[in-house]
Amino acid sequence: EAAVTQSPRSKVAVTGGKVTLSCHQTNNHDYMYWYRQDTGHGLRLIHYSYVADSTEKGDIPDGYKASRPSQENFSLILELASLSQTAVYFCASSDQGDTQYFGPGTRLLVL
Amino acid sequence: GDKVKQSPSALSLQEGTNSALRCNFSIAATTVQWFLQNPRGSLMNLFYLVPGTKENGRLKSAFDSKESYSTLHIRDAQLEDSGTYFCAAEASSGSWQLIFGSGTQLTVMP
């Protein structure tokens, strides 16, 4: 079974502060993704990566950066956190064009 | 407008009954995935579909790319089927990006 872990599982951040969310997968998948979910809504793609040291913009990249230092690790960085970035963030991994496996999510509250 | 539109937005079922969820696409979807988000928030993949049908236990899903829709049928609903069901479409071949619907919140009652 696919294994995607995220840390932290929850975080409270202050407006204007820097936040880093981490994701680790042990599936040997090339593709990794970061999504955000707002209460009562579906997921929206922020950034994704198909190879280490390279990232691509998704549908809503503004205010976020991503880093893929290795095949196993993918980080999401909020340089200047804002109230509107309060959400649940999910990481996922997949083989090329295949089923996506999701991590447990990180609840981020920006105050 | 919504590129992936799910219906209904919410549904209540008696245990043991059947139901169908639907997704309509306003994009040229090439593949579709269905997920269940349980009440604790975890997302579980149910189906990965190219055009055609798949079945897994009490669940059956179909994807018609020409008519731009997908369905998820639940047979003999159980309490543990409760949660939010999401469909997600790959927008164009090779992009590997999924566009999610807003979900159908399903409650199965005893």
Side-chain angles (χ1 to χ4, degrees):
Chain A
E1 184 68 30
V4 181
T5 56
Q6 295 182 229
S7 63
R9 293 295 311 280
S10 66
K11 184 170 179 65
V12 179
V14 295
T15 304
K18 183 177 180 178
V19 176
T20 300
L21 307 181
S22 299
C23 178
H24 180 80
Q25 55 106 353
T26 59
N27 311 319
N28 200 34
H29 287 160
D30 286 330
Y31 283 74
M32 296 187 75
Y33 314 81
W34 276 106
Y35 294 89
R36 68 174 277 173
Q37 183 179 33
D38 295 283
T39 303
H41 291 85
L43 282 69
R44 291 181 292 170
L45 182 65
I46 306 170
H47 285 287
Y48 67 101
S49 168
Y50 54 84
V51 67
D53 296 321
S54 177
T55 63
E56 305 293 331
K57 293 180 179 179
D59 297 327
I60 52 165
D62 293 346
Y64 302 94
K65 290 184 180 180
S67 173
R68 182 91 181 270
S70 64
Q71 186 194 40
E72 298 80 17
N73 296 293
F74 192 34
S75 296
L76 185 68
I77 303 144
L78 290 65
E79 294 278 3
L80 295 169
S82 67
L83 296 174
S84 64
Q85 293 177 313
T86 292
V88 179
Y89 291 85
F90 287 95
C91 175
S93 75
S94 74
D95 280 328
Q96 181 174 327
D98 206 341
T99 301
Q100 291 191 19
Y101 294 93
F102 282 81
T106 296
R107 291 187 176 275
L108 175 64
L109 175 61
V110 183
L111 299 174
Chain B
D2 292 348
K3 295 178 181 178
V4 177
K5 190 153 188 164
Q6 286 190 245
S7 61
S9 57
L11 182 62
S12 290
L13 293 176
Q14 288 295 131
E15 201 173 7
T17 60
N18 305 331
S19 185
L21 312 181
R22 185 177 176 104
C23 277
N24 289 310
F25 310 117
S26 62
I27 54 173
T30 54
T31 66
V32 173
Q33 298 188 35
W34 282 90
F35 298 87
L36 169 59
Q37 187 168 37
N38 66 23
R40 289 183 301 130
S42 298
L43 279 157
M44 179 173 65
N45 188 282
L46 300 175
F47 290 104
Y48 173 92
L49 295 159
V50 294
T53 61
K54 279 190 178 178
E55 194 165 354
N56 184 6
R58 296 179 293 102
L59 301 180
K60 183 176 181 179
S61 186
F63 169 39
D64 187 329
S65 58
K66 291 181 181 177
E67 299 297 324
S68 299
Y69 75 90
S70 179
T71 56
L72 176 67
H73 292 263
I74 303 171
R75 176 175 53 82
D76 184 25
Q78 302 297 304
L79 297 176
E80 59 265 29
D81 295 332
S82 294
T84 303
Y85 290 79
F86 291 100
C87 67
E90 181 189 342
S92 62
S93 183
S95 71
W96 319 130
Q97 298 183 54
L98 292 179
I99 300 174
F100 279 76
S102 297
T104 294
Q105 189 169 0
L106 176 68
T107 304
V108 180
M109 298 175 295

